[in-house]
Amino acid sequence: STKSLNSVPFIMEGEVLNNGAVRLIWELSEEDNSSIKGFVVERAEKAKGDYLVVSKELLPAISRTFEYVETNQINYYRVRTFVSNGDEH
């Protein structure tokens, strides 16, 4: 059976930390956790630019935060979800 998500990740907050890193906090219904394999975080320099994966590995399904140090002057982020059947959202 194909599993689908009831929602997609939504970035709630991006906070710049004292060390210059950024902490992203996103939201996704916890009822989707059992369908999720994990998350990746991607960054681009333009909203419609080429997004590159910046998380070094698949983040656990229960993750809702990510810290990234190698920021540029302009940063756009998105969170993508990988579900158990291999689909991306």
Side-chain angles (χ1 to χ4, degrees):
S1 71
T2 301
K3 293 183 176 181
S4 62
L5 299 179
N6 297 317
S7 59
V8 295
F10 176 74
I11 296 176
M12 299 293 296
E13 184 179 337
E15 176 186 6
V16 179
L17 307 176
N18 290 338
N19 64 357
V22 67
R23 177 184 297 135
L24 302 174
I25 301 171
W26 62 90
E27 201 173 75
L28 181 74
S29 172
E30 287 190 13
E31 67 188 37
D32 286 324
N33 280 359
S34 62
S35 302
I36 296 171
K37 195 185 298 184
F39 298 99
V40 295
V41 177
E42 299 176 331
R43 190 193 72 75
E45 293 184 7
K46 298 178 184 173
K48 296 187 185 285
D50 294 328
Y51 282 80
L52 301 173
V53 175
V54 294
S55 50
K56 303 287 186 219
E57 56 193 31
L58 199 61
L59 302 172
I62 59 170
S63 296
R64 297 297 187 268
T65 65
F66 177 73
E67 290 183 15
Y68 184 62
V69 178
E70 300 167 37
T71 59
N72 291 345
Q73 192 168 2
I74 298 172
N75 300 278
Y76 290 88
Y77 295 96
R78 67 183 182 193
V79 177
R80 295 175 66 195
T81 309
F82 286 80
V83 293
S84 297
N85 67 5
D87 288 348
E88 299 175 26
H89 294 275

